[in-house]
Amino acid sequence: MTQYQLVSADSHVNEPPDLWADRVPARYKDRAPRMESFEQGDAWVLEGAHDPINFGGNCSAGLPIGQRSGWVRWDDVRAGGYDPAARIGEQDQDGVDLEILYPTPRIGNQLVWHRDDVDFHIACIRAYNDWLAEFCSYNSDRLWGVALLPNVGAEDAVAELRRAAALPGIRGVMLGRWPSGDEVLSEDDDPVFAAAAEARLPLSIHVGFATHAQGDVAKMKLTGSMRFFDMPVRITQLIEGGVFDRHPDLQFLAVETDSSWFPYLREQMDDRFRRANPATRAPIQRSPGDYFDTNIASTFITDHYGIVNRHHIGVTQMMWSSDFPHGGSDWPDSRTTISEHFDGVPDDERHAILAGNALRIYGQEVRP
């Protein structure tokens, strides 16, 4: 068994051009996500998206800053984004023992957002999950996949959760909207939380919900430096909605939102809960902050302030990530940054944040 010392709790794939064309039913091939060439470079064309979705920033790790661009040709993408054998070599270059893999955000978000045709929506999500399982099955000790869930009703989401859980290499599931498709949590969503808890699959939201059709990143209201604006809303909904009371074994992961803001949210939720009339406040069994200790964890890329304040956040609830191969990654020099940011952190706490917490949450035996 691999002796894990450095685990990236949030890394990414680069979806290959034939992913959907080769895997969706024949009746959807003409509508399936496809890669096209443009004057500026190559980009994904997805039904319902505002613009072609380029991917230069999603494969720029390791490039000099002056060479980075939103537009690239597919032939210039580093092979480890889509070839698992090459990916293992890239892990070795960075000293990473295991990566937990998520989709390219704007592609995943568009798959989730575009739900007018239910069967097409589900087919595209299933095709992605099938490809991801194929990718991870190459070396399931070092490649763990997080499957997308559809959001056209709890029944379909539970069905895909159970189907994906049986695929090789799938170790978690993620939502881009609540299973009902709404931004407001409802009792109709509860079967999905029950199924995730029963299957011992951590449930993630990556950065935030898909709230609009995807397009050119240059037109977005917020840049990549603002990744935590939506997550406090989702955490509040889960806690005040009583999800963790009904499903105490459910593990929820706030992915690529960093960790420093957790103590503030916790403090404010506890303060408002204490001040509220017990007859009208959220009918939950514990103070809101208590759920951060048992059911909610976060991933960060570089969050030195969070490491310094790790005891306020919860050492057991923080997970390092490389974000590879995205531009936020320090690949192939992650260990240099880690050494700088973890200076003075005791070995047991360092191991927990760099590997042990992810292994525990994803159900793997922890061996320091």
Side-chain angles (χ1 to χ4, degrees), residues 175 178 203-209 227-238 252-258 261-262 265 292 296-299:
L175 291 172
W178 296 128
L203 179 69
S204 301
I205 294 175
H206 186 278
V207 178
F209 270 1
R227 299 187 303 276
F228 58 88
F229 63 97
D230 185 68
M231 195 63 73
V233 177
R234 309 308 160 199
I235 290 175
T236 301
Q237 289 175 323
L238 288 166
F252 174 75
L253 308 182
V255 177
E256 203 175 322
T257 58
D258 301 324
W261 53 274
F262 266 49
L265 178 62
F292 286 81
I296 303 169
S298 60
T299 78

PDB file of all heavy atoms in Angstrom, residues 175 178 203-209 227-238 252-258 261-262 265 292 296-299:
ATOM      1  N   LEU A 175     -21.588  18.443  -6.162  1.00  0.00           N
ATOM      2  CA  LEU A 175     -22.784  19.130  -6.622  1.00  0.00           C
ATOM      3  C   LEU A 175     -22.410  20.492  -7.190  1.00  0.00           C
ATOM      4  O   LEU A 175     -21.532  21.174  -6.661  1.00  0.00           O
ATOM      5  CB  LEU A 175     -23.768  19.341  -5.466  1.00  0.00           C
ATOM      6  CG  LEU A 175     -24.455  18.111  -4.881  1.00  0.00           C
ATOM      7  CD1 LEU A 175     -25.230  18.505  -3.621  1.00  0.00           C
ATOM      8  CD2 LEU A 175     -25.398  17.490  -5.901  1.00  0.00           C
ATOM      9  N   TRP A 178     -28.110  22.339  -5.889  1.00  0.00           N
ATOM     10  CA  TRP A 178     -28.760  21.320  -5.065  1.00  0.00           C
ATOM     11  C   TRP A 178     -29.424  20.304  -5.994  1.00  0.00           C
ATOM     12  O   TRP A 178     -29.775  20.626  -7.136  1.00  0.00           O
ATOM     13  CB  TRP A 178     -29.765  21.947  -4.108  1.00  0.00           C
ATOM     14  CG  TRP A 178     -29.151  22.859  -3.085  1.00  0.00           C
ATOM     15  CD1 TRP A 178     -29.517  24.144  -2.812  1.00  0.00           C
ATOM     16  CD2 TRP A 178     -28.060  22.563  -2.191  1.00  0.00           C
ATOM     17  NE1 TRP A 178     -28.724  24.672  -1.813  1.00  0.00           N
ATOM     18  CE2 TRP A 178     -27.822  23.721  -1.410  1.00  0.00           C
ATOM     19  CE3 TRP A 178     -27.263  21.443  -1.974  1.00  0.00           C
ATOM     20  CZ2 TRP A 178     -26.812  23.786  -0.436  1.00  0.00           C
ATOM     21  CZ3 TRP A 178     -26.264  21.506  -1.008  1.00  0.00           C
ATOM     22  CH2 TRP A 178     -26.045  22.647  -0.259  1.00  0.00           C
ATOM     23  N   LEU A 203     -19.169  14.635   0.106  1.00  0.00           N
ATOM     24  CA  LEU A 203     -19.943  15.456  -0.823  1.00  0.00           C
ATOM     25  C   LEU A 203     -19.280  16.822  -0.933  1.00  0.00           C
ATOM     26  O   LEU A 203     -19.112  17.514   0.073  1.00  0.00           O
ATOM     27  CB  LEU A 203     -21.378  15.600  -0.327  1.00  0.00           C
ATOM     28  CG  LEU A 203     -22.325  16.449  -1.157  1.00  0.00           C
ATOM     29  CD1 LEU A 203     -22.630  15.771  -2.495  1.00  0.00           C
ATOM     30  CD2 LEU A 203     -23.621  16.707  -0.398  1.00  0.00           C
ATOM     31  N   SER A 204     -18.903  17.203  -2.143  1.00  0.00           N
ATOM     32  CA  SER A 204     -18.159  18.448  -2.364  1.00  0.00           C
ATOM     33  C   SER A 204     -18.986  19.467  -3.129  1.00  0.00           C
ATOM     34  O   SER A 204     -19.846  19.115  -3.938  1.00  0.00           O
ATOM     35  CB  SER A 204     -16.889  18.180  -3.185  1.00  0.00           C
ATOM     36  OG  SER A 204     -16.033  17.264  -2.572  1.00  0.00           O
ATOM     37  N   ILE A 205     -18.668  20.718  -2.879  1.00  0.00           N
ATOM     38  CA  ILE A 205     -18.968  21.809  -3.802  1.00  0.00           C
ATOM     39  C   ILE A 205     -17.625  22.443  -4.133  1.00  0.00           C
ATOM     40  O   ILE A 205     -16.854  22.782  -3.238  1.00  0.00           O
ATOM     41  CB  ILE A 205     -19.939  22.849  -3.201  1.00  0.00           C
ATOM     42  CG1 ILE A 205     -21.313  22.218  -2.962  1.00  0.00           C
ATOM     43  CG2 ILE A 205     -20.056  24.066  -4.123  1.00  0.00           C
ATOM     44  CD1 ILE A 205     -22.293  23.154  -2.266  1.00  0.00           C
ATOM     45  N   HIS A 206     -17.338  22.581  -5.413  1.00  0.00           N
ATOM     46  CA  HIS A 206     -16.059  23.139  -5.844  1.00  0.00           C
ATOM     47  C   HIS A 206     -16.227  24.631  -6.112  1.00  0.00           C
ATOM     48  O   HIS A 206     -16.919  25.026  -7.039  1.00  0.00           O
ATOM     49  CB  HIS A 206     -15.552  22.424  -7.097  1.00  0.00           C
ATOM     50  CG  HIS A 206     -14.180  22.856  -7.509  1.00  0.00           C
ATOM     51  ND1 HIS A 206     -13.964  23.985  -8.245  1.00  0.00           N
ATOM     52  CD2 HIS A 206     -12.947  22.326  -7.243  1.00  0.00           C
ATOM     53  CE1 HIS A 206     -12.675  24.131  -8.445  1.00  0.00           C
ATOM     54  NE2 HIS A 206     -12.026  23.130  -7.845  1.00  0.00           N
ATOM     55  N   VAL A 207     -15.647  25.455  -5.283  1.00  0.00           N
ATOM     56  CA  VAL A 207     -15.692  26.917  -5.316  1.00  0.00           C
ATOM     57  C   VAL A 207     -17.092  27.436  -5.005  1.00  0.00           C
ATOM     58  O   VAL A 207     -17.307  28.167  -4.042  1.00  0.00           O
ATOM     59  CB  VAL A 207     -15.179  27.506  -6.648  1.00  0.00           C
ATOM     60  CG1 VAL A 207     -15.289  29.025  -6.636  1.00  0.00           C
ATOM     61  CG2 VAL A 207     -13.717  27.097  -6.871  1.00  0.00           C
ATOM     62  N   GLY A 208     -18.084  27.095  -5.809  1.00  0.00           N
ATOM     63  CA  GLY A 208     -19.437  27.574  -5.575  1.00  0.00           C
ATOM     64  C   GLY A 208     -20.394  26.984  -6.597  1.00  0.00           C
ATOM     65  O   GLY A 208     -19.988  26.266  -7.517  1.00  0.00           O
ATOM     66  N   PHE A 209     -21.664  27.320  -6.439  1.00  0.00           N
ATOM     67  CA  PHE A 209     -22.684  26.821  -7.350  1.00  0.00           C
ATOM     68  C   PHE A 209     -22.566  27.470  -8.733  1.00  0.00           C
ATOM     69  O   PHE A 209     -22.069  28.595  -8.883  1.00  0.00           O
ATOM     70  CB  PHE A 209     -24.069  27.117  -6.789  1.00  0.00           C
ATOM     71  CG  PHE A 209     -24.614  26.033  -5.906  1.00  0.00           C
ATOM     72  CD1 PHE A 209     -23.897  24.886  -5.621  1.00  0.00           C
ATOM     73  CD2 PHE A 209     -25.877  26.162  -5.335  1.00  0.00           C
ATOM     74  CE1 PHE A 209     -24.411  23.885  -4.817  1.00  0.00           C
ATOM     75  CE2 PHE A 209     -26.403  25.174  -4.528  1.00  0.00           C
ATOM     76  CZ  PHE A 209     -25.678  24.035  -4.270  1.00  0.00           C
ATOM     77  N   ARG A 227     -12.719  33.244  -4.423  1.00  0.00           N
ATOM     78  CA  ARG A 227     -13.266  31.907  -4.600  1.00  0.00           C
ATOM     79  C   ARG A 227     -14.183  31.475  -3.458  1.00  0.00           C
ATOM     80  O   ARG A 227     -14.688  30.357  -3.495  1.00  0.00           O
ATOM     81  CB  ARG A 227     -12.118  30.899  -4.737  1.00  0.00           C
ATOM     82  CG  ARG A 227     -11.215  31.153  -5.927  1.00  0.00           C
ATOM     83  CD  ARG A 227     -10.208  30.037  -6.116  1.00  0.00           C
ATOM     84  NE  ARG A 227      -9.385  29.833  -4.941  1.00  0.00           N
ATOM     85  CZ  ARG A 227      -8.297  30.513  -4.639  1.00  0.00           C
ATOM     86  NH1 ARG A 227      -7.889  31.498  -5.429  1.00  0.00           N
ATOM     87  NH2 ARG A 227      -7.602  30.240  -3.547  1.00  0.00           N
ATOM     88  N   PHE A 228     -14.400  32.321  -2.483  1.00  0.00           N
ATOM     89  CA  PHE A 228     -15.158  31.888  -1.303  1.00  0.00           C
ATOM     90  C   PHE A 228     -16.478  32.641  -1.132  1.00  0.00           C
ATOM     91  O   PHE A 228     -17.135  32.505  -0.106  1.00  0.00           O
ATOM     92  CB  PHE A 228     -14.314  32.072  -0.033  1.00  0.00           C
ATOM     93  CG  PHE A 228     -13.846  33.488   0.188  1.00  0.00           C
ATOM     94  CD1 PHE A 228     -14.625  34.398   0.883  1.00  0.00           C
ATOM     95  CD2 PHE A 228     -12.627  33.907  -0.298  1.00  0.00           C
ATOM     96  CE1 PHE A 228     -14.202  35.694   1.081  1.00  0.00           C
ATOM     97  CE2 PHE A 228     -12.187  35.205  -0.100  1.00  0.00           C
ATOM     98  CZ  PHE A 228     -12.976  36.105   0.591  1.00  0.00           C
ATOM     99  N   PHE A 229     -16.901  33.391  -2.134  1.00  0.00           N
ATOM    100  CA  PHE A 229     -18.071  34.238  -1.970  1.00  0.00           C
ATOM    101  C   PHE A 229     -19.367  33.450  -1.869  1.00  0.00           C
ATOM    102  O   PHE A 229     -20.305  33.857  -1.192  1.00  0.00           O
ATOM    103  CB  PHE A 229     -18.168  35.252  -3.119  1.00  0.00           C
ATOM    104  CG  PHE A 229     -18.357  34.630  -4.475  1.00  0.00           C
ATOM    105  CD1 PHE A 229     -19.614  34.520  -5.029  1.00  0.00           C
ATOM    106  CD2 PHE A 229     -17.271  34.162  -5.196  1.00  0.00           C
ATOM    107  CE1 PHE A 229     -19.799  33.946  -6.273  1.00  0.00           C
ATOM    108  CE2 PHE A 229     -17.438  33.581  -6.448  1.00  0.00           C
ATOM    109  CZ  PHE A 229     -18.705  33.474  -6.983  1.00  0.00           C
ATOM    110  N   ASP A 230     -19.466  32.299  -2.531  1.00  0.00           N
ATOM    111  CA  ASP A 230     -20.709  31.526  -2.538  1.00  0.00           C
ATOM    112  C   ASP A 230     -20.761  30.489  -1.415  1.00  0.00           C
ATOM    113  O   ASP A 230     -21.846  30.168  -0.909  1.00  0.00           O
ATOM    114  CB  ASP A 230     -20.868  30.817  -3.888  1.00  0.00           C
ATOM    115  CG  ASP A 230     -22.191  30.080  -4.018  1.00  0.00           C
ATOM    116  OD1 ASP A 230     -23.232  30.750  -4.085  1.00  0.00           O
ATOM    117  OD2 ASP A 230     -22.165  28.840  -4.057  1.00  0.00           O
ATOM    118  N   MET A 231     -19.618  29.969  -1.008  1.00  0.00           N
ATOM    119  CA  MET A 231     -19.597  28.831  -0.092  1.00  0.00           C
ATOM    120  C   MET A 231     -20.237  29.104   1.270  1.00  0.00           C
ATOM    121  O   MET A 231     -20.897  28.210   1.826  1.00  0.00           O
ATOM    122  CB  MET A 231     -18.169  28.337   0.092  1.00  0.00           C
ATOM    123  CG  MET A 231     -18.089  26.967   0.734  1.00  0.00           C
ATOM    124  SD  MET A 231     -18.847  25.641  -0.277  1.00  0.00           S
ATOM    125  CE  MET A 231     -17.622  25.490  -1.586  1.00  0.00           C
ATOM    126  N   PRO A 232     -20.072  30.308   1.870  1.00  0.00           N
ATOM    127  CA  PRO A 232     -20.745  30.532   3.154  1.00  0.00           C
ATOM    128  C   PRO A 232     -22.258  30.348   3.082  1.00  0.00           C
ATOM    129  O   PRO A 232     -22.883  29.885   4.045  1.00  0.00           O
ATOM    130  CB  PRO A 232     -20.377  31.973   3.498  1.00  0.00           C
ATOM    131  CG  PRO A 232     -19.084  32.213   2.798  1.00  0.00           C
ATOM    132  CD  PRO A 232     -19.194  31.442   1.514  1.00  0.00           C
ATOM    133  N   VAL A 233     -22.841  30.688   1.937  1.00  0.00           N
ATOM    134  CA  VAL A 233     -24.292  30.504   1.765  1.00  0.00           C
ATOM    135  C   VAL A 233     -24.631  29.019   1.807  1.00  0.00           C
ATOM    136  O   VAL A 233     -25.587  28.594   2.479  1.00  0.00           O
ATOM    137  CB  VAL A 233     -24.756  31.125   0.435  1.00  0.00           C
ATOM    138  CG1 VAL A 233     -26.248  30.866   0.208  1.00  0.00           C
ATOM    139  CG2 VAL A 233     -24.458  32.609   0.409  1.00  0.00           C
ATOM    140  N   ARG A 234     -23.858  28.193   1.113  1.00  0.00           N
ATOM    141  CA  ARG A 234     -24.163  26.759   1.037  1.00  0.00           C
ATOM    142  C   ARG A 234     -23.955  26.084   2.390  1.00  0.00           C
ATOM    143  O   ARG A 234     -24.745  25.209   2.788  1.00  0.00           O
ATOM    144  CB  ARG A 234     -23.301  26.099  -0.033  1.00  0.00           C
ATOM    145  CG  ARG A 234     -23.346  26.816  -1.373  1.00  0.00           C
ATOM    146  CD  ARG A 234     -24.771  27.060  -1.870  1.00  0.00           C
ATOM    147  NE  ARG A 234     -24.792  28.137  -2.868  1.00  0.00           N
ATOM    148  CZ  ARG A 234     -25.871  28.820  -3.210  1.00  0.00           C
ATOM    149  NH1 ARG A 234     -27.027  28.565  -2.620  1.00  0.00           N
ATOM    150  NH2 ARG A 234     -25.807  29.777  -4.117  1.00  0.00           N
ATOM    151  N   ILE A 235     -22.898  26.469   3.099  1.00  0.00           N
ATOM    152  CA  ILE A 235     -22.658  25.898   4.424  1.00  0.00           C
ATOM    153  C   ILE A 235     -23.774  26.283   5.381  1.00  0.00           C
ATOM    154  O   ILE A 235     -24.269  25.443   6.150  1.00  0.00           O
ATOM    155  CB  ILE A 235     -21.283  26.348   4.956  1.00  0.00           C
ATOM    156  CG1 ILE A 235     -20.169  25.671   4.151  1.00  0.00           C
ATOM    157  CG2 ILE A 235     -21.142  26.031   6.443  1.00  0.00           C
ATOM    158  CD1 ILE A 235     -18.774  26.147   4.513  1.00  0.00           C
ATOM    159  N   THR A 236     -24.195  27.536   5.330  1.00  0.00           N
ATOM    160  CA  THR A 236     -25.294  27.988   6.191  1.00  0.00           C
ATOM    161  C   THR A 236     -26.572  27.224   5.891  1.00  0.00           C
ATOM    162  O   THR A 236     -27.304  26.803   6.804  1.00  0.00           O
ATOM    163  CB  THR A 236     -25.518  29.499   6.013  1.00  0.00           C
ATOM    164  OG1 THR A 236     -24.314  30.196   6.346  1.00  0.00           O
ATOM    165  CG2 THR A 236     -26.638  30.001   6.915  1.00  0.00           C
ATOM    166  N   GLN A 237     -26.855  26.998   4.614  1.00  0.00           N
ATOM    167  CA  GLN A 237     -28.052  26.246   4.244  1.00  0.00           C
ATOM    168  C   GLN A 237     -28.000  24.827   4.791  1.00  0.00           C
ATOM    169  O   GLN A 237     -29.005  24.308   5.301  1.00  0.00           O
ATOM    170  CB  GLN A 237     -28.199  26.229   2.722  1.00  0.00           C
ATOM    171  CG  GLN A 237     -28.587  27.572   2.121  1.00  0.00           C
ATOM    172  CD  GLN A 237     -28.601  27.544   0.608  1.00  0.00           C
ATOM    173  OE1 GLN A 237     -27.768  26.889  -0.036  1.00  0.00           O
ATOM    174  NE2 GLN A 237     -29.540  28.267   0.007  1.00  0.00           N
ATOM    175  N   LEU A 238     -26.846  24.187   4.680  1.00  0.00           N
ATOM    176  CA  LEU A 238     -26.722  22.818   5.161  1.00  0.00           C
ATOM    177  C   LEU A 238     -26.890  22.739   6.676  1.00  0.00           C
ATOM    178  O   LEU A 238     -27.603  21.857   7.191  1.00  0.00           O
ATOM    179  CB  LEU A 238     -25.354  22.249   4.764  1.00  0.00           C
ATOM    180  CG  LEU A 238     -25.166  21.922   3.283  1.00  0.00           C
ATOM    181  CD1 LEU A 238     -23.686  21.695   2.972  1.00  0.00           C
ATOM    182  CD2 LEU A 238     -25.986  20.706   2.887  1.00  0.00           C
ATOM    183  N   PHE A 252     -18.984  16.996   4.366  1.00  0.00           N
ATOM    184  CA  PHE A 252     -19.113  18.022   3.332  1.00  0.00           C
ATOM    185  C   PHE A 252     -17.787  18.737   3.165  1.00  0.00           C
ATOM    186  O   PHE A 252     -17.150  19.141   4.147  1.00  0.00           O
ATOM    187  CB  PHE A 252     -20.196  19.031   3.681  1.00  0.00           C
ATOM    188  CG  PHE A 252     -20.259  20.179   2.715  1.00  0.00           C
ATOM    189  CD1 PHE A 252     -20.812  20.002   1.459  1.00  0.00           C
ATOM    190  CD2 PHE A 252     -19.713  21.418   3.043  1.00  0.00           C
ATOM    191  CE1 PHE A 252     -20.833  21.049   0.538  1.00  0.00           C
ATOM    192  CE2 PHE A 252     -19.737  22.470   2.134  1.00  0.00           C
ATOM    193  CZ  PHE A 252     -20.301  22.284   0.886  1.00  0.00           C
ATOM    194  N   LEU A 253     -17.367  18.932   1.902  1.00  0.00           N
ATOM    195  CA  LEU A 253     -16.086  19.545   1.607  1.00  0.00           C
ATOM    196  C   LEU A 253     -16.287  20.832   0.816  1.00  0.00           C
ATOM    197  O   LEU A 253     -16.911  20.827  -0.252  1.00  0.00           O
ATOM    198  CB  LEU A 253     -15.210  18.588   0.798  1.00  0.00           C
ATOM    199  CG  LEU A 253     -15.035  17.181   1.374  1.00  0.00           C
ATOM    200  CD1 LEU A 253     -14.110  16.369   0.496  1.00  0.00           C
ATOM    201  CD2 LEU A 253     -14.535  17.237   2.799  1.00  0.00           C
ATOM    202  N   ALA A 254     -15.752  21.923   1.352  1.00  0.00           N
ATOM    203  CA  ALA A 254     -15.704  23.209   0.661  1.00  0.00           C
ATOM    204  C   ALA A 254     -14.372  23.253  -0.086  1.00  0.00           C
ATOM    205  O   ALA A 254     -13.319  23.492   0.512  1.00  0.00           O
ATOM    206  CB  ALA A 254     -15.811  24.352   1.656  1.00  0.00           C
ATOM    207  N   VAL A 255     -14.413  23.022  -1.387  1.00  0.00           N
ATOM    208  CA  VAL A 255     -13.202  22.763  -2.161  1.00  0.00           C
ATOM    209  C   VAL A 255     -12.754  24.023  -2.911  1.00  0.00           C
ATOM    210  O   VAL A 255     -13.564  24.699  -3.555  1.00  0.00           O
ATOM    211  CB  VAL A 255     -13.449  21.599  -3.144  1.00  0.00           C
ATOM    212  CG1 VAL A 255     -12.217  21.361  -4.020  1.00  0.00           C
ATOM    213  CG2 VAL A 255     -13.794  20.335  -2.377  1.00  0.00           C
ATOM    214  N   GLU A 256     -11.464  24.295  -2.815  1.00  0.00           N
ATOM    215  CA  GLU A 256     -10.802  25.446  -3.439  1.00  0.00           C
ATOM    216  C   GLU A 256     -11.424  26.769  -2.993  1.00  0.00           C
ATOM    217  O   GLU A 256     -11.517  27.715  -3.775  1.00  0.00           O
ATOM    218  CB  GLU A 256     -10.778  25.332  -4.972  1.00  0.00           C
ATOM    219  CG  GLU A 256      -9.660  26.163  -5.580  1.00  0.00           C
ATOM    220  CD  GLU A 256      -9.492  26.000  -7.067  1.00  0.00           C
ATOM    221  OE1 GLU A 256      -9.641  24.879  -7.587  1.00  0.00           O
ATOM    222  OE2 GLU A 256      -9.186  27.019  -7.722  1.00  0.00           O
ATOM    223  N   THR A 257     -11.817  26.827  -1.751  1.00  0.00           N
ATOM    224  CA  THR A 257     -12.294  28.086  -1.182  1.00  0.00           C
ATOM    225  C   THR A 257     -11.345  28.608  -0.115  1.00  0.00           C
ATOM    226  O   THR A 257     -11.589  29.655   0.473  1.00  0.00           O
ATOM    227  CB  THR A 257     -13.679  27.902  -0.539  1.00  0.00           C
ATOM    228  OG1 THR A 257     -13.604  26.903   0.479  1.00  0.00           O
ATOM    229  CG2 THR A 257     -14.713  27.495  -1.582  1.00  0.00           C
ATOM    230  N   ASP A 258     -10.265  27.883   0.158  1.00  0.00           N
ATOM    231  CA  ASP A 258      -9.330  28.193   1.222  1.00  0.00           C
ATOM    232  C   ASP A 258     -10.015  28.086   2.583  1.00  0.00           C
ATOM    233  O   ASP A 258     -11.192  27.743   2.663  1.00  0.00           O
ATOM    234  CB  ASP A 258      -8.662  29.542   0.999  1.00  0.00           C
ATOM    235  CG  ASP A 258      -7.895  29.584  -0.324  1.00  0.00           C
ATOM    236  OD1 ASP A 258      -7.317  28.547  -0.689  1.00  0.00           O
ATOM    237  OD2 ASP A 258      -7.890  30.634  -0.988  1.00  0.00           O
ATOM    238  N   TRP A 261     -11.312  31.950   6.295  1.00  0.00           N
ATOM    239  CA  TRP A 261     -12.564  32.618   6.635  1.00  0.00           C
ATOM    240  C   TRP A 261     -13.479  31.763   7.493  1.00  0.00           C
ATOM    241  O   TRP A 261     -14.504  32.248   7.990  1.00  0.00           O
ATOM    242  CB  TRP A 261     -13.293  33.030   5.349  1.00  0.00           C
ATOM    243  CG  TRP A 261     -13.488  31.910   4.376  1.00  0.00           C
ATOM    244  CD1 TRP A 261     -12.607  31.481   3.437  1.00  0.00           C
ATOM    245  CD2 TRP A 261     -14.626  31.046   4.257  1.00  0.00           C
ATOM    246  NE1 TRP A 261     -13.119  30.411   2.730  1.00  0.00           N
ATOM    247  CE2 TRP A 261     -14.364  30.127   3.207  1.00  0.00           C
ATOM    248  CE3 TRP A 261     -15.847  30.969   4.928  1.00  0.00           C
ATOM    249  CZ2 TRP A 261     -15.275  29.147   2.828  1.00  0.00           C
ATOM    250  CZ3 TRP A 261     -16.747  29.988   4.541  1.00  0.00           C
ATOM    251  CH2 TRP A 261     -16.459  29.095   3.506  1.00  0.00           C
ATOM    252  N   PHE A 262     -13.149  30.509   7.690  1.00  0.00           N
ATOM    253  CA  PHE A 262     -14.012  29.627   8.470  1.00  0.00           C
ATOM    254  C   PHE A 262     -14.269  30.118   9.893  1.00  0.00           C
ATOM    255  O   PHE A 262     -15.413  30.086  10.358  1.00  0.00           O
ATOM    256  CB  PHE A 262     -13.432  28.204   8.489  1.00  0.00           C
ATOM    257  CG  PHE A 262     -13.979  27.306   7.421  1.00  0.00           C
ATOM    258  CD1 PHE A 262     -14.025  27.726   6.102  1.00  0.00           C
ATOM    259  CD2 PHE A 262     -14.441  26.044   7.713  1.00  0.00           C
ATOM    260  CE1 PHE A 262     -14.539  26.918   5.108  1.00  0.00           C
ATOM    261  CE2 PHE A 262     -14.960  25.216   6.730  1.00  0.00           C
ATOM    262  CZ  PHE A 262     -15.002  25.659   5.428  1.00  0.00           C
ATOM    263  N   LEU A 265     -17.012  32.884   9.865  1.00  0.00           N
ATOM    264  CA  LEU A 265     -18.363  32.385   9.616  1.00  0.00           C
ATOM    265  C   LEU A 265     -18.888  31.639  10.831  1.00  0.00           C
ATOM    266  O   LEU A 265     -20.043  31.829  11.245  1.00  0.00           O
ATOM    267  CB  LEU A 265     -18.374  31.472   8.388  1.00  0.00           C
ATOM    268  CG  LEU A 265     -19.729  30.838   8.048  1.00  0.00           C
ATOM    269  CD1 LEU A 265     -20.765  31.902   7.725  1.00  0.00           C
ATOM    270  CD2 LEU A 265     -19.581  29.857   6.876  1.00  0.00           C
ATOM    271  N   PHE A 292     -18.798  22.454  12.257  1.00  0.00           N
ATOM    272  CA  PHE A 292     -17.521  22.643  11.583  1.00  0.00           C
ATOM    273  C   PHE A 292     -16.478  21.647  12.087  1.00  0.00           C
ATOM    274  O   PHE A 292     -15.532  21.327  11.375  1.00  0.00           O
ATOM    275  CB  PHE A 292     -17.015  24.074  11.792  1.00  0.00           C
ATOM    276  CG  PHE A 292     -17.755  25.111  11.004  1.00  0.00           C
ATOM    277  CD1 PHE A 292     -18.973  25.601  11.444  1.00  0.00           C
ATOM    278  CD2 PHE A 292     -17.232  25.609   9.823  1.00  0.00           C
ATOM    279  CE1 PHE A 292     -19.653  26.567  10.722  1.00  0.00           C
ATOM    280  CE2 PHE A 292     -17.906  26.584   9.090  1.00  0.00           C
ATOM    281  CZ  PHE A 292     -19.124  27.055   9.541  1.00  0.00           C
ATOM    282  N   ILE A 296     -17.669  19.363   8.357  1.00  0.00           N
ATOM    283  CA  ILE A 296     -17.313  20.313   7.303  1.00  0.00           C
ATOM    284  C   ILE A 296     -15.799  20.496   7.263  1.00  0.00           C
ATOM    285  O   ILE A 296     -15.181  20.803   8.287  1.00  0.00           O
ATOM    286  CB  ILE A 296     -17.988  21.678   7.528  1.00  0.00           C
ATOM    287  CG1 ILE A 296     -19.509  21.516   7.604  1.00  0.00           C
ATOM    288  CG2 ILE A 296     -17.614  22.647   6.412  1.00  0.00           C
ATOM    289  CD1 ILE A 296     -20.226  22.770   8.074  1.00  0.00           C
ATOM    290  N   ALA A 297     -15.213  20.300   6.099  1.00  0.00           N
ATOM    291  CA  ALA A 297     -13.778  20.512   5.915  1.00  0.00           C
ATOM    292  C   ALA A 297     -13.562  21.380   4.682  1.00  0.00           C
ATOM    293  O   ALA A 297     -14.457  21.555   3.847  1.00  0.00           O
ATOM    294  CB  ALA A 297     -13.051  19.178   5.767  1.00  0.00           C
ATOM    295  N   SER A 298     -12.350  21.919   4.565  1.00  0.00           N
ATOM    296  CA  SER A 298     -12.035  22.804   3.448  1.00  0.00           C
ATOM    297  C   SER A 298     -10.700  22.424   2.840  1.00  0.00           C
ATOM    298  O   SER A 298      -9.847  21.813   3.489  1.00  0.00           O
ATOM    299  CB  SER A 298     -11.984  24.265   3.924  1.00  0.00           C
ATOM    300  OG  SER A 298     -10.981  24.438   4.924  1.00  0.00           O
ATOM    301  N   THR A 299     -10.519  22.802   1.581  1.00  0.00           N
ATOM    302  CA  THR A 299      -9.221  22.653   0.936  1.00  0.00           C
ATOM    303  C   THR A 299      -8.663  24.030   0.617  1.00  0.00           C
ATOM    304  O   THR A 299      -9.411  24.979   0.359  1.00  0.00           O
ATOM    305  CB  THR A 299      -9.300  21.828  -0.363  1.00  0.00           C
ATOM    306  OG1 THR A 299      -9.820  22.638  -1.426  1.00  0.00           O
ATOM    307  CG2 THR A 299     -10.152  20.588  -0.183  1.00  0.00           C
TER     308      THR A 299
END
